Amino acid sequence: MKNRLRIIMTFLFCIYIATLVFLCFMKTESVPDVQFTLFGIPADKLVHFCMFAPYPVLAFQTFHNNNVTFWRELILLGVLAVFGLGLAYGTEQIQGLTDYRSYEIADFFSDAMGIAAGCVIVLIQIAFRKR
């Protein structure tokens, strides 16, 4: 059963990464420009937040081993967060090199906030599981 769950989580994580890359690099001329804001936050920043929030949860579930200590789980989460930030920064850098997307530091900040929110969810999961 554990092997089946690991295979499913790995598959979901791969699908998530493929979707993330597609969304980050697709040409947006066919997508309507939405001037929506929520609490003063532009819609595209909310989209960036939502795109990267699942990363820590899916990555942790994919690479986590149930037989490790609390501190090793925290180290794994930290490593995954650093890789997630690298992914977010890398996608923004590559977008800046294309002629149809732009590099915006605010997008990276939104990505980082999504990763941080996902890490909080994982921390809550770790805390409740250890009790």
Side-chain angles (χ1 to χ4, degrees):
M1 183 64 172
K2 288 183 182 181
N3 284 339
R4 182 178 294 165
L5 182 61
R6 181 162 307 267
I7 290 169
I8 291 170
M9 291 310 301
T10 303
F11 178 74
L12 287 176
F13 185 65
C14 290
I15 294 294
Y16 166 75
I17 293 295
T19 304
L20 186 69
V21 168
F22 172 76
L23 291 173
C24 286
F25 299 119
M26 73 179 199
K27 292 187 179 185
T28 58
E29 65 241 1
S30 62
V31 178
D33 189 24
V34 179
Q35 297 301 324
F36 172 76
T37 62
L38 182 65
F39 303 114
I41 302 169
D44 71 319
K45 304 312 177 231
L46 294 171
V47 169
H48 277 269
F49 177 89
C50 292
M51 282 177 16
F52 279 86
Y55 171 81
V57 177
L58 290 172
F60 188 80
Q61 292 301 321
T62 300
F63 298 108
H64 176 254
N65 183 354
N66 287 330
N67 300 326
V68 296
T69 65
F70 172 76
W71 295 107
R72 286 190 180 202
E73 288 180 326
L74 290 182
I75 291 169
L76 173 63
L77 182 59
V79 168
L80 293 173
V82 169
F83 274 98
L85 291 172
L87 177 65
Y89 185 74
T91 57
E92 283 303 314
Q93 287 293 322
I94 294 170
Q95 284 178 3
L97 297 174
T98 65
D99 58 345
Y100 58 92
R101 298 298 294 260
S102 64
Y103 170 81
E104 293 182 35
I105 195 69
D107 287 347
F108 172 70
F109 180 73
S110 298
D111 299 343
M113 291 298 100
I115 291 170
C119 285
V120 168
I121 291 169
V122 173
L123 284 173
I124 292 169
Q125 175 190 2
I126 291 170
F128 279 111
R129 189 175 55 238
K130 292 298 178 182
R131 285 185 178 199

